[in-house]
Amino acid sequence: MQALVTRVDSFIGSHLTEMLVSQGYQVKALSQYNSFNNWGWLEDVNCKDQIEILTGDIRDPHYCKHITKDVDIIFRPKKLATDEACTESALLYVCDELEKQDNFIPDIVLTLEPTSPMRTAATIINSVDILKKQNFDSVIGVVESRSVFGKIVN
């Protein structure tokens, strides 16, 4: 069976690709094109010689029509492939899939947003400790910043 996995440059996409190959799927792996030709997390998978690696943009309908030809399964629900899709929906989807496919329910799900440049390793460790010790369902880290990273325009 042939599968197309998008966002293979991400942690989840690269691991999904490895899992599908181990289960005998023929995998087309779509990495977001970048000028460095870097495949992100896919660079480190052990099955690169067993997959067809594609670089392009999921927002290009002509390219998507081309790469989905002869594909049986596309691993990225449409509802999570929109500009309006939120992180929470994607996390819930992954948790539901882990439970369905592997009977695995994580104790903690940690999301590290890439737009948080002030975060330190200590902040991450403290957040996990708070979740474990206080029995909270979520922790949000906030850092005061006196720096301005852009220009404010009226």
Side-chain angles (χ1 to χ4, degrees):
M1 187 167 293
Q2 182 137 52
L4 171 67
V5 181
T6 64
R7 290 294 319 271
V8 294
D9 39 38
S10 69
F11 177 81
I12 293 170
S14 64
H15 285 80
L16 175 60
T17 299
E18 288 179 306
M19 181 192 75
L20 291 170
V21 168
S22 73
Q23 293 180 2
Y25 284 85
Q26 293 177 320
V27 176
K28 288 184 176 185
L30 178 60
S31 175
Q32 176 72 30
Y33 171 79
N34 62 73
S35 60
F36 301 109
N37 199 30
N38 182 287
W39 301 328
W41 280 87
L42 195 65
E43 296 279 350
D44 298 321
V45 299
N46 295 324
C47 60
K48 280 190 287 201
D49 59 335
Q50 299 170 297
I51 60 178
E52 180 182 353
I53 301 174
L54 309 167
T55 56
D57 194 330
I58 193 78
R59 297 168 295 185
D60 180 345
H62 302 290
Y63 183 65
C64 289
K65 185 175 182 180
H66 170 72
I67 65 173
T68 56
K69 186 177 180 185
D70 301 322
V71 170
D72 301 301
I73 301 171
I74 300 172
F75 284 89
R76 183 173 177 177
K78 285 185 179 181
K79 66 182 180 183
L80 297 179
T82 68
D83 289 339
E84 293 80 30
C86 66
T87 301
E88 181 182 9
S89 298
L91 291 173
L92 290 171
Y93 171 79
V94 170
C95 289
D96 289 345
E97 289 299 306
L98 286 171
E99 184 176 4
K100 278 195 284 187
Q101 293 181 17
D102 298 332
N103 199 29
F104 175 75
I105 301 172
D107 294 324
I108 294 175
V109 176
L110 180 63
T111 305
L112 303 174
E113 296 292 340
T115 55
S116 300
M118 303 299 180
R119 180 182 47 237
T120 64
T123 302
I124 297 167
I125 292 166
N126 288 338
S127 297
V128 172
D129 286 344
I130 290 169
L131 282 170
K132 286 180 177 179
K133 293 175 182 170
Q134 302 296 324
N135 199 29
F136 292 140
D137 63 356
S138 61
V139 173
I140 297 173
V142 179
V143 176
E144 182 178 349
S145 173
R146 301 205 187 270
S147 300
V148 176
F149 294 103
K151 182 177 180 182
I152 299 173
V153 179
N154 288 332

